[in-house]
């Protein structure tokens, strides 16, 4: 049972480069979200989706884009990486659209921007 | 955004003792609360949840208490074991939203 799978696990980028963080879930969950985790700041919501074709901004959306073309996949794109985006990124999913069910998290992507 | 805070950033307990981790929230409209455990190098893992129409909920060795009057949430771990060493987060969601708000976390260390 794979759950939420994130790739890659580690990535180093140079300032200005672009990349896509992949997230896939096999639980047929409607709700998916991306968080970033920085030391001493907990998890902050970047973007979320309540279903295929629907996305919305969270607390810290600047510098990130998302799309939700299928129920299973929710990629996060950095168009022009900046050192401030160095962080650990977590993808999560849950069955309930209204976020009133526990979220299942992937094991994260550790991203460093030089 | 909502303020979900933890009173203590670190907590050390002896193996076998009970642990209590606290969390404060600021919005009385919050409807749903979750406790997560995060081990090093892993994503947060669901421990237990509670809805605002409840004051207490028990799981296996864990109990969550909700005091809506003072907007306070606590996680109690009975007979703490070395495997309980991790960072613990509380999270809340609002009745009208699709977002969870997380606290900054408490690092629990169990001393053998």
């Amino acid at each position: 049972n794979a759950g939420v799978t994130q790739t890659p696990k580690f990535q180093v980028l140079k300032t200005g480069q672009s990349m896509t963080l992949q997230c896939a879930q096999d639980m047929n969950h409607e709700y998916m979200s991306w968080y970033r985790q920085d030391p001493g700041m907990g998890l902050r919501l970047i973007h979320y989706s309540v279903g295929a074709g629907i996305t919305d901004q969270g607390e810290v959306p600047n510098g990130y884009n998302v799309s939700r073309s299928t129920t299973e996949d929710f990629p996060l794109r950095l168009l022009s990486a900046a050192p401030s985006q160095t962080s650990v990124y977590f993808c999560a999913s849950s069955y309930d659209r209204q976020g009133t069910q526990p979220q299942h998290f992937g094991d994260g992507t550790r991203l460093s921007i030089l | 955004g909502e303020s979900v805070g933890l009173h203590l950033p670190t907590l050390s307990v002896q193996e076998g003792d009970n642990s209590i981790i606290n969390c404060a929230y600021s919005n009385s409209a919050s409807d749903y609360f979750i406790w997560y455990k995060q081990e090093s190098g892993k994503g947060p893992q669901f421990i237990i949840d509670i809805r605002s129409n409840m004051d207490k909920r028990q799981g296996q060795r864990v109990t969550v208490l909700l005091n809506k009057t003072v907007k306070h949430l606590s996680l109690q771990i009975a007979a703490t074991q070395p495997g309980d060493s991790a960072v613990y987060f509380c999270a809340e969601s609002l009745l009208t939203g699709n977002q969870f708000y997380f606290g900054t976390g408490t690092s629990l260390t169990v001393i053998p």
Side-chain angles (χ1 to χ4, degrees), chain A residues 31 35 37 40 42-43 45 48 50 90 97-103 105-107 110, chain B residues 31-32 34 36 38 41-44 46 49 51 89 93 97-100 102-104:
Chain A
Y31 185 95
Y35 293 88
Q37 184 175 38
L43 285 85
L45 183 66
Y48 66 95
V50 299
F90 289 99
R97 290 173 60 91
Q98 297 300 317
T100 56
Q101 293 289 322
Q103 291 178 296
F105 283 83
D107 283 336
R110 285 144 186 86
Chain B
D31 180 61
Y32 182 55
I34 301 178
Y36 287 97
Q38 185 177 26
K42 298 290 187 180
F46 169 76
D49 59 359
R51 297 187 183 273
F89 293 94
S93 68
N98 284 308
Q99 302 186 30
F100 283 96
F102 283 79
T104 54

Side-chain angles (χ1 to χ4, degrees), chain B:
Chain B
E2 293 303 306
S3 171
V4 181
L6 294 170
H7 294 312
L8 295 172
T10 61
L11 179 65
S12 296
V13 299
Q14 291 290 139
E15 181 178 358
D17 287 350
N18 296 334
S19 303
I20 300 176
I21 301 171
N22 297 303
C23 178
Y25 64 96
S26 61
N27 192 333
S28 58
S30 292
D31 180 61
Y32 182 55
F33 305 88
I34 301 178
W35 280 101
Y36 287 97
K37 172 186 180 182
Q38 185 177 26
E39 297 175 330
S40 180
K42 298 290 187 180
Q45 179 183 9
F46 169 76
I47 302 173
I48 192 167
D49 59 359
I50 190 168
R51 297 187 183 273
S52 60
N53 60 351
M54 302 173 68
D55 297 323
K56 179 180 180 179
R57 193 174 188 200
Q58 289 183 293
Q60 186 176 10
R61 284 200 308 119
V62 295
T63 300
V64 55
L65 299 177
L66 176 63
N67 187 329
K68 295 180 287 292
T69 301
V70 295
K71 296 194 282 290
H72 183 268
L73 190 70
S74 68
L75 176 70
Q76 301 177 1
I77 305 173
T80 313
Q81 303 170 358
D84 295 327
S85 293
V87 175
Y88 290 81
F89 293 94
C90 64
E92 65 173 312
S93 68
L94 304 180
L95 284 169
T96 57
N98 284 308
Q99 302 186 30
F100 283 96
Y101 297 89
F102 283 79
T104 54
T106 291
S107 177
L108 174 66
T109 300
V110 180
I111 304 167

Side-chain angles (χ1 to χ4, degrees), chain A:
Chain A
N1 194 1
V4 178
T5 302
Q6 291 185 239
T7 57
K9 294 187 184 303
F10 302 93
Q11 184 70 48
V12 179
L13 293 177
K14 294 181 179 179
T15 297
Q17 286 185 316
S18 63
M19 82 158 295
T20 299
L21 280 62
Q22 302 291 343
C23 175
Q25 53 90 9
D26 61 358
M27 297 171 283
N28 200 32
H29 284 172
E30 291 283 348
Y31 185 95
M32 297 186 73
S33 54
W34 277 102
Y35 293 88
R36 59 177 290 172
Q37 184 175 38
D38 301 299
M41 299 188 72
L43 285 85
R44 292 182 292 168
L45 183 66
I46 304 172
H47 285 284
Y48 66 95
S49 169
V50 299
I54 306 170
T55 63
D56 207 345
Q57 296 181 349
E59 183 183 357
V60 289
N62 292 340
Y64 307 94
N65 283 344
V66 292
S67 60
R68 185 91 180 273
S69 57
T70 66
T71 299
E72 293 78 20
D73 301 298
F74 191 43
L76 178 71
R77 283 184 289 276
L78 285 71
L79 297 180
S80 180
S84 61
Q85 294 177 306
T86 293
S87 188
V88 182
Y89 292 86
F90 289 99
C91 179
S93 73
S94 63
Y95 179 76
D96 193 291
R97 290 173 60 91
Q98 297 300 317
T100 56
Q101 293 289 322
Q103 291 178 296
H104 298 256
F105 283 83
D107 283 336
T109 293
R110 285 144 186 86
L111 183 63
S112 294
I113 314 296
L114 304 178

